[in-house]
Amino acid sequence: QVRLVESGGGLVQPGGSLRLSCAASRSISDFNYAGWFRQAPGKQREWVAYVTRGGTNVYAESVKGRFTISRDNANNAVYLQMDSLKAEDTATYYCNTGPILGRGAWGQGTQVTVSS
């Protein structure tokens, strides 16, 4: 039943940073995970990062060391700090929260474009 709304996307140069936000309509503290996926045109949606209910952060190999996921239960929000952005990071980014990774609620997506 939870609704998710992403924001913070935009155009950034290679090496730049963006911070994505995901606002939830209700508490997300009782979900097993909160995460981020991304999808580029013509490609399959892929997992980027997630944080578990227990507070463990897990990242895809392609973004490890550059992205940081966090959740703010008090404000019903999930964030994705993206640093050292590369052209290959260009995609629509989606927030996802639920009992199983890739299931449950999805946001509408926010576009991230990394280009000179």
Side-chain angles (χ1 to χ4, degrees), residues 7-24:
S7 62
L11 175 64
V12 64
Q13 296 184 68
S17 298
L18 285 174
R19 189 187 189 214
L20 306 184
S21 298
C22 173

Side-chain angles (χ1 to χ4, degrees), residues 12-84:
V12 64
Q13 296 184 68
S17 298
L18 285 174
R19 189 187 189 214
L20 306 184
S21 298
C22 173
S25 61
R26 67 175 182 85
S27 176
I28 59 173
S29 62
D30 57 342
F31 287 105
N32 288 339
Y33 74 90
W36 290 89
F37 286 69
R38 67 186 181 187
Q39 186 170 24
K43 296 184 178 180
Q44 187 173 332
R45 186 174 299 185
E46 64 177 349
W47 160 70
V48 175
Y50 69 85
V51 55
T52 69
R53 182 170 57 183
T56 300
N57 295 347
V58 185
Y59 302 93
E61 191 67 29
S62 60
V63 306
K64 192 174 298 181
R66 300 188 297 117
F67 291 10
T68 303
I69 189 171
S70 62
R71 66 191 301 172
D72 185 347
N73 292 335
N75 292 302
N76 300 334
V78 184
Y79 305 98
L80 185 68
Q81 177 66 43
M82 306 185 295
D83 299 318
S84 301

